[in-house]
């Protein structure tokens, strides 16, 4: 170490020289051995204490006070907590941890909780001494955790005009019970949504707000204002989406299709009849418009089929029209990709549809099939492994003409099946007269 100091023209060896000398002489050049020394000797795991007589920033005093009252002692080791939001102390813990996370002090890491219900949260806490520096930095926003979190969130919202970012901030602020910040964010979202003519931006911002409006009451939070904003955003989406999906390229169509999947799930989650009806009308306009991007047209038909708006002969007729030989083969393959997006189960259970797809594939000319193979492979590669296996077995055994032959093949006893229906309905919560 002294030799290194001399070579570097230093008057005395420092920590860097000592570490390099230790790596060479004691660790034989093995960095992992030096890392052990670094962890156990140089850094260690002990946390020092500051005497109570030393003045502390007001924000740090408030954090330490809440840590004691909530019995959340800072520790360098991991400690897991499962919080039941129906209990006052656990709810206060959750609010405290959410506020710290908004301030950028990530003492707790939240993870998913197994089981049903939204009244539980899983947290893992590990205190880092560096948080003390971050607490001092965030002290400029307020003397208490609530005041600092409110002001800091409002500051973050003022620095962005992106509707999606403000929506995410609102979703994080609600569990923190920051009334001042929440009111400001709602007003900002309402203003941004009113002047936004970008349908994709509205589609990105809507799902987080739907989750807020649907589950905000778990924490006894008034989500009525959020629901009003969501309703207006969905209306704007329904008006602007049909024109936004006309004559767009493949990459843009994939992005829109993913957003449509999220919006469809959000609309169903709201369980509002007028919103669902408006969304289904929009899907019908897109599905029957010949200038719509083929993959989006196929996916719109699929969503209509899932909701039973398009079924039976109408579904077969619509499929036959879009997959007819009058259209270019690559257009047919793109439409099929959208129609089968995310699940091959529909091909396994709908025998008429299986026959249509099977006959279309069988009727493709060899040279055309070679061109379409990458597109078809991409479509079926999105299915789960069990679905692909069953589809392969079904294709190898030949097409099935009808549901009746399948029922006879597996020996289905319809009389016994009917007897089980009332019990299944009771399990699902329906009242049987």
């Amino acid at each position: 170490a002294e030799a290194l100091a001399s070579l570097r023209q230093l008057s005395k060896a420092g920590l860097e020289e000592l570490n390099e000398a230790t790596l060479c002489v004691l660790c034989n050049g093995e960095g992992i051995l030096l890392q052990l020394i670094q962890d156990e000797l140089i850094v260690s795991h002990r946390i020092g204490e500051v005497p109570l007589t030393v003045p502390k920033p007001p924000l740090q005093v408030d954090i330490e006070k809440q840590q004691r009252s909530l019995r959340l002692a800072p520790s360098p080791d991991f400690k897991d907590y499962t919080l039941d939001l129906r209990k006052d102390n656990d709810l206060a813990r959750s609010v405290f941890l959410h506020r710290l996370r908004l301030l950028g002090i990530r003492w707790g890491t939240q993870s998913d909780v197994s089981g049903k219900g939204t009244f539980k949260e899983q947290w893992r806490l590990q205190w880092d001494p560096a948080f003390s520096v971050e607490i001092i930095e965030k002290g400029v926003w307020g003397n208490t955790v609530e005041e600092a979190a409110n002001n800091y969130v409002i500051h973050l919202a003022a620095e962005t005009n992106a509707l999606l970012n403000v929506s995410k901030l609102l979703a994080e602020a609600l569990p923190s019970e920051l009334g001042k910040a929440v009111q400001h964010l709602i007003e900002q979202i309402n203003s941004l949504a009113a002047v936004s003519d970008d349908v994709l931006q509205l589609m990105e911002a809507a799902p987080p707000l739907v989750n807020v409006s649907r589950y905000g009451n778990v924490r006894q939070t008034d989500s009525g204002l959020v629901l009003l904003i969501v309703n207006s955003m969905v209306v704007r989406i329904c008006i602007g989406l049909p024109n936004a999906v006309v004559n767009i390229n493949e990459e843009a169509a994939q992005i829109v299709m993913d957003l449509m999947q999220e919006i469809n799930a959000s609309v169903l989650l709201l369980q509002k009849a007028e919103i669902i009806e408006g969304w289904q009308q929009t899907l019908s306009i897109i599905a029957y418009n010949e200038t719509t991007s083929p993959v989006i047209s196929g996916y719109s038909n699929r969503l209509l089929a899932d909701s039973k708006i398009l079924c039976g002969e109408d579904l077969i007729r619509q499929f036959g029209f879009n997959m007819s030989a009058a259209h270019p083969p690559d257009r047919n393959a793109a439409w099929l990709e959208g129609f089968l997006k995310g699940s091959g189960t529909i091909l396994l259970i709908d025998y008429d549809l299986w026959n249509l797809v099977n006959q279309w594939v069988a009727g493709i000319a060899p040279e055309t099939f070679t061109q379409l193979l990458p597109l078809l492979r991409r479509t079926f590669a999105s299915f789960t492994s069990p679905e692909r296996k069953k589809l392969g077995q079904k294709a190898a055994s030949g097409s099935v003409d009808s549901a009746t032959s399948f029922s006879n093949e597996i020996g289905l006893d319809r009389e016994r099946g009917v007897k089980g229906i009332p019990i299944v309905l009771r399990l699902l919560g329906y009242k049987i007269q």
Side-chain angles (χ1 to χ4, degrees):
E2 291 177 354
L4 283 174
S6 299
L7 289 172
R8 294 170 180 175
Q9 299 181 357
L10 300 175
S11 60
K12 187 179 294 186
L15 181 60
E16 183 178 355
E17 287 72 32
L18 287 171
N19 284 340
E20 292 185 12
T22 303
L23 175 64
C24 176
V25 178
L26 301 181
C27 300
N28 298 321
E30 296 289 342
I32 190 171
L33 298 179
L34 183 62
Q35 184 64 39
L36 177 63
I37 297 174
Q38 174 82 10
D39 294 341
E40 297 295 334
L41 179 63
I42 299 177
V43 178
S44 187
H45 302 286
R46 298 175 60 186
I47 296 180
E49 295 181 359
V50 179
L52 297 177
T53 56
V54 176
K56 299 179 181 178
L59 180 59
Q60 184 175 356
V61 173
D62 184 61
I63 290 176
E64 293 177 354
K65 178 182 176 181
Q66 294 195 47
Q67 286 175 336
R68 289 192 297 270
S69 64
L70 298 174
R71 297 188 296 278
L72 293 174
S75 170
D77 300 321
F78 287 115
K79 192 168 184 181
D80 294 324
Y81 292 87
T82 300
L83 305 182
D84 188 340
L85 302 183
R86 298 171 296 183
K87 300 178 180 179
D88 293 339
N89 188 64
D90 282 358
L91 179 58
R93 286 177 169 181
S94 174
V95 170
F96 177 58
L97 293 173
H98 277 289
R99 288 175 177 176
L100 288 181
R101 191 164 66 172
L102 277 174
L103 284 172
I105 304 170
R106 297 189 174 274
W107 178 24
T109 303
Q110 191 176 1
S111 57
D112 295 332
V113 183
S114 59
K116 297 180 179 179
T118 58
F119 54 84
K120 286 187 177 182
E121 289 182 349
Q122 183 71 35
W123 290 86
R124 168 167 286 186
L125 306 187
Q126 185 182 30
W127 186 261
D128 187 340
F131 292 155
S132 300
V133 178
E134 296 178 3
I135 292 173
I136 295 174
E137 293 175 348
K138 295 302 189 298
V140 299
W141 300 105
N143 295 333
T144 64
V145 177
E146 181 179 4
E147 181 184 3
N150 267 306
N151 294 333
Y152 188 61
V153 169
I154 293 174
H155 164 71
L156 292 177
E159 289 190 332
T160 179
N161 288 322
L163 191 56
L164 176 60
N165 294 338
V166 182
S167 299
K168 289 182 177 179
L169 271 178
L170 177 61
E172 295 177 2
L174 275 174
S176 307
E177 297 188 0
L178 302 174
K180 179 181 176 182
V182 166
Q183 185 64 34
H184 178 85
L185 291 173
I186 289 176
E187 293 175 358
Q188 185 172 354
I189 289 173
N190 197 19
S191 300
L192 292 175
V195 299
S196 176
D197 56 355
D198 189 344
V199 176
L200 299 186
Q201 189 180 44
L202 292 174
M203 293 176 73
E204 290 176 345
L209 295 179
V210 170
N211 292 332
V212 168
S213 64
R214 187 71 177 92
Y215 296 119
N217 55 2
V218 173
R219 293 174 175 268
Q220 301 177 353
T221 304
D222 184 13
S223 56
L225 293 176
V226 181
L227 183 59
L228 291 176
I229 297 175
V230 170
N231 290 345
S232 64
M233 290 176 66
V234 173
V235 170
R236 291 189 181 97
I237 291 171
C238 291
I239 294 173
L241 186 58
N243 291 330
V245 296
V246 173
N247 297 326
I248 58 177
N249 59 36
E250 181 180 353
E251 183 179 355
Q254 292 292 335
I255 296 175
V256 173
M257 188 165 57
D258 292 337
L259 292 175
M260 288 177 63
Q261 185 176 18
E262 295 184 11
I263 290 296
N264 185 71
S266 299
V267 167
L268 297 179
L269 184 62
L270 283 174
Q271 297 182 359
K272 300 292 183 180
E274 63 277 7
I275 296 180
I276 294 176
E277 183 179 358
W279 173 243
Q280 290 174 346
Q281 290 176 355
T282 301
L283 291 177
S284 298
I285 295 173
I286 296 174
Y288 288 94
N289 187 353
E290 296 184 8
T291 59
T292 299
S293 171
V295 67
I296 296 179
S297 175
Y299 186 58
S300 300
N301 280 275
R302 164 68 182 278
L303 294 179
L304 291 173
D306 289 344
S307 59
K308 305 303 180 184
I309 301 298
L310 186 63
C311 57
E313 293 295 330
D314 292 335
L315 175 59
I316 296 175
R317 187 182 305 109
Q318 183 70 357
F319 184 91
F321 171 77
N322 285 281
M323 299 296 290
S324 67
H327 299 296
D330 56 343
R331 189 265 183 198
N332 292 351
W335 191 93
L336 182 63
E337 178 185 356
F339 188 78
L340 299 178
K341 176 179 171 58
S343 175
T345 305
I346 189 172
L347 276 178
L348 292 171
I349 61 178
D350 194 321
Y351 306 99
D352 293 330
L353 190 58
W354 166 265
N355 286 333
L356 285 173
V357 175
N358 192 29
Q359 292 171 8
W360 175 75
V361 173
I364 300 176
E367 61 276 7
T368 304
F369 181 79
T370 303
Q371 298 174 2
L372 293 179
L373 189 57
L375 294 174
L376 295 175
R377 180 180 177 82
R378 185 177 66 180
T379 299
F380 287 89
S382 63
F383 300 160
T384 63
S385 180
E387 288 174 342
R388 293 200 302 269
K389 183 177 180 180
K390 290 180 180 179
L391 287 171
Q393 293 173 348
K394 190 171 182 178
S397 63
S399 62
V400 182
D401 294 332
S402 65
T404 305
S405 60
F406 178 76
S407 301
N408 293 335
E409 180 184 343
I410 64 174
L412 178 65
D413 190 334
R414 295 186 177 276
E415 293 183 0
R416 291 184 61 193
V418 170
K419 293 179 181 179
I421 292 178
I423 298 177
V424 173
L425 292 176
R426 287 194 182 96
L427 291 174
L428 294 174
Y430 293 96
K431 294 182 179 180
I432 307 300
Q433 301 294 337

